[in-house]
Amino acid sequence: MTTSSSDSPAATVITVAMAQPFTDQKPGTSGLRKSSRQFQTPHYLESFVEASLRVVPGVQGGTLVVGGDGRYGNLAAIQTIARMAAAHGVARLITTTGGILSTPAASHLIRTHQAVGGIILSASHNPGGLEGDFGVKINGANGGPAPESITDAIYQATLSLDSYRTLQADPLPLDQPARLQMGAMAVEVIDGVSDYAALMQKLFDFDRLAALLKGDFRVAFDAMHAVTGPYATSIFEQLLGAPSGTVRHGLPLEDFGGGHPDPNLTYAHDLAALMLEGEAYDFGAACDGDGDRNMILGRHCFVNPSDSLAVLTANATLAPGYAQGLAGVARSMPTSAAADVVAKSLGLPCFETPTGWKFFGNLLDAGRITLCGEESFGTGSNHIREKDGLWAVLFWLQILAVRGCSVADVMADHWRRYGRHYYSRHDYEAIESEAAHGLYGRVKGMLPALVGERFAGRAIATADDFAYTDPVDGSVTQGQGLRLLLDDGSRMVLRLSGTGTQGATLRVYLESYVPPSGALAQDPQVALADLINAIDALAEIKLRTGMAQPTVIT
Ligand code: VG1
Ligand code: CO
């Protein structure tokens, strides 16, 4: 390593040379997600940040937002990024006390401060700590995940990187709000919660919600020792007056208390047991590591995320922020078509995008949609450009407050009106990479010959690898998941995860529609059993992965 310095008016910018180029960034991904130990490799974080600061338009003289979900490495990374931002001529850096900033709150700050973008430190729902994962996400000026044009340019920049620029400066004190200076760069340390809470107050009727939460309606919110703790405590317990203890595991911890901050029935099992087996609570919810995902539960009732998007669409006008109605709605391809049925009945445009929030960004920016969602516990709207966990929780509470009924009632009523999309996702995590790609490649090769074949007693109408043409800019994205669509509207999708860090994760998405006149109260695993068996036989999942069952069933 060699260093050379050049004088700048306020502090010394140094250029650090690197012996090896950086090869870990995958093209087409808007961040870098790896093990915490990997991030400790010398120059690792710096390499990705250097490439990003070189590529994001307007960095020199612009405003940048930085913060993260509080996991191990968060504070150190903020200091590193601040020094590098100063060396790259960023005029103003906005960060938060304790470095705590949820992904949706970051999106909001980028937008309200006209920042050129943001750097969010999180590996989202992956476990944290020294033995867990760390990540860096780059967001653009609209507050959403950087688009492919930028992420591809970052990838290109990493390939020829031989040095990075940083500043020699003391660490920033982040323990309280302050206006600071680092070299020529102004630094604002703000309370990361209040702007976000104010935004929620504009969208939802807080008087009505307070009346609900101060009454005998009991809420259990599980922050999973991740970033939403301070947000949820401020909103539920302070602003809305819910009893203290409503927020569980509310203190952000560097290792999330050893848990896996993924709000699903497997990893949020305590909350699931409380709601599905107990009688004490009317409403339960949890969010993930960086606060963009949500799980909604009622007493003895789990709301699958695809249904949640459909319910929010059908009831949107009950919330003040959406009282004027919706421009349209979008869902990711593997998400069930429950929202499509509602959109059709409301006469709303409905879009089907590839997995990942960045695809919703263009539709939101163009005003073509108001709500969007993914089956992976992600729901959001045009209020920001990320999915938003607490927003979804508040939206549900708003609906329950206005309608004065239970979660189970809302769901039963919804299915009676629109029919039910039985839905499940089976994840096979951390399988050997070769086995996963072998399985996937084999099914992909079989697709053309499958059209017209019989499958689980039905005929295969479409078998393809999903490709998306963006209706706003015409860009085409290919290879987004293998689809088998049956002639009765049932669907199966196979995808390989892009967010796992160990081996490969195969996701199998299963869906079958029952009209309002049909059997609406079955267990989804029972309703989908024939599809589950048939896709296993076709794709040889158990055989090729060596796993008797999925690691996670949603
Ligand atoms: C998963 C989900 C996807 C989501 C992505 C990021 O991706 O399936 O719907 O957009 O995580 O969510 P994959 O490639 O592992 O299936 V988050 O909470 O990390 O912003
Ligand atoms: Co997340």
Side-chain angles (χ1 to χ4, degrees):
M1 181 178 96
T2 60
T3 64
S4 63
S5 56
S6 70
D7 285 340
S8 91
T12 310
V13 175
I14 56 168
T15 301
V16 181
M18 294 180 293
Q20 282 155 351
F22 185 78
T23 53
D24 266 13
Q25 172 60 3
K26 274 188 267 172
T29 49
S30 48
L32 181 65
R33 194 181 293 198
K34 295 284 173 183
S35 68
S36 298
R37 289 202 182 271
Q38 180 84 67
F39 267 96
Q40 293 194 321
T41 313
H43 315 314
Y44 195 86
L45 170 69
E46 289 87 342
S47 298
F48 182 64
V49 172
E50 173 72 22
S52 303
L53 290 174
R54 286 187 192 180
V55 163
V56 172
V59 161
Q60 180 127 26
T63 297
L64 192 68
V65 172
V66 180
D69 66 7
R71 71 180 63 218
Y72 177 85
N74 190 40
L75 284 169
I78 291 173
Q79 300 292 353
T80 300
I81 292 166
R83 288 192 293 266
M84 291 182 68
H88 283 262
V90 168
R92 186 165 68 128
L93 184 84
I94 297 174
T95 188
T96 57
T97 45
I100 292 289
L101 184 62
S102 77
T103 291
S107 183
H108 181 52
L109 284 184
I110 293 168
R111 294 164 67 76
T112 50
H113 290 273
Q114 275 101 44
V116 298
I119 302 182
I120 304 172
L121 304 163
S122 173
S124 191
H125 52 283
N126 294 25
L130 184 55
E131 302 309 326
D133 290 337
F134 190 73
V136 187
K137 303 195 282 183
I138 305 298
N139 281 31
N142 75 345
E148 229 141 280
S149 55
I150 292 192
T151 57
D152 286 348
I154 293 174
Y155 167 70
Q156 287 302 329
T158 60
L159 298 179
S160 60
L161 212 60
D162 59 5
S163 67
Y164 64 87
R165 272 185 300 155
T166 187
L167 198 76
Q168 277 179 324
D170 290 336
L172 297 164
L174 298 179
D175 48 334
Q176 57 184 2
R179 285 178 182 271
L180 309 166
Q181 197 72 26
M182 183 180 254
M185 180 175 78
V187 179
E188 287 174 34
V189 183
I190 61 171
D191 157 25
V193 174
S194 53
D195 291 79
Y196 177 81
L199 175 64
M200 294 300 113
Q201 283 174 290
K202 279 195 219 149
L203 298 174
F204 304 110
D205 182 346
F206 268 47
D207 290 337
R208 195 148 201 171
L209 294 180
L212 181 74
L213 299 194
K214 282 179 191 156
D216 55 10
F217 186 88
R218 284 283 155 271
V219 172
F221 177 83
D222 194 338
M224 304 187 87
H225 284 307
V227 80
T228 52
Y231 294 85
T233 306
S234 163
I235 291 173
F236 296 127
E237 298 188 9
Q238 284 153 18
L239 293 170
L240 295 172
S244 123
T246 298
V247 176
R248 295 151 179 265
H249 308 127
L251 187 67
L253 296 175
E254 286 199 333
D255 66 348
F256 307 121
H260 190 153
D262 196 353
N264 59 37
L265 296 173
T266 304
Y267 297 127
H269 43 80
D270 292 356
L271 181 75
L274 202 66
M275 296 305 305
L276 301 179
E277 288 152 31
E279 303 289 333
Y281 293 92
D282 301 285
F283 183 85
C287 290
D288 73 330
D290 62 331
D292 57 1
R293 297 184 176 203
N294 72 92
M295 175 167 70
I296 303 292
L297 297 153
R299 188 179 297 163
H300 304 169
C301 175
F302 164 71
V303 179
N304 99 42
S306 299
D307 277 346
S308 180
L309 176 65
V311 168
L312 298 190
T313 305
N315 295 277
T317 54
L318 302 183
Y322 307 91
Q324 309 304 317
L326 307 175
V329 50
R331 62 164 172 86
S332 69
M333 180 273 283
T335 304
S336 95
D340 304 31
V341 176
V342 179
K344 196 170 174 209
S345 99
L346 294 173
L348 295 176
C350 183
F351 301 87
E352 182 180 38
T353 62
T355 293
W357 212 258
K358 65 184 172 194
F359 295 100
F360 295 135
N362 269 358
L363 295 167
L364 291 164
D365 285 347
R368 307 270 292 262
I369 58 167
T370 309
L371 299 186
C372 44
E374 295 192 279
E375 47 63 42
S376 52
F377 298 88
T379 4
S381 90
N382 60 355
H383 68 294
I384 53 168
R385 295 294 180 272
E386 288 277 3
K387 52 189 181 269
D388 191 343
L390 281 170
W391 167 89
V393 175
L394 289 166
F395 210 145
W396 264 93
L397 289 171
Q398 173 83 42
I399 292 169
L400 298 174
V402 174
R403 291 184 51 174
C405 64
S406 72
V407 175
D409 291 339
V410 169
M411 289 320 307
D413 178 61
H414 190 89
W415 295 329
R416 269 197 302 273
R417 246 176 115 151
Y418 301 103
R420 179 169 181 184
H421 290 77
Y422 283 104
Y423 187 83
S424 187
R425 182 175 110 180
H426 290 195
D427 296 328
Y428 296 83
E429 295 175 311
I431 46 184
E432 208 241 309
S433 190
E434 226 166 273
H437 286 97
L439 182 159
Y440 197 80
R442 176 175 162 275
V443 176
K444 190 170 163 181
M446 289 163 70
L447 291 175
L450 287 174
V451 180
E453 289 295 309
R454 303 294 294 168
F455 189 89
R458 286 150 269 186
I460 298 176
T462 305
D464 66 3
D465 191 355
F466 182 62
Y468 176 66
T469 305
D470 188 302
V472 180
D473 65 17
S475 60
V476 177
T477 310
Q478 271 158 340
Q480 295 300 304
L482 310 181
R483 305 193 298 175
L484 290 183
L485 312 183
L486 306 187
D487 58 358
D488 70 341
S490 299
R491 306 195 311 156
M492 270 137 303
V493 176
L494 296 187
R495 269 187 74 247
L496 292 176
S497 158
T499 62
T501 54
Q502 282 158 28
T505 291
L506 174 72
R507 306 203 194 285
V508 183
Y509 309 81
L510 306 132
E511 172 183 348
S512 173
Y513 178 63
V514 170
S517 57
L520 300 176
Q522 285 182 68
D523 174 346
Q525 302 310 316
V526 175
L528 296 165
D530 55 346
L531 295 184
I532 293 168
N533 292 332
I535 193 69
D536 182 53
L538 179 88
E540 300 180 348
I541 297 169
K542 294 195 170 76
L543 183 76
R544 286 165 177 266
T545 62
M547 294 166 81
Q549 40 222 333
T551 36
V552 178
I553 294 181
T554 300

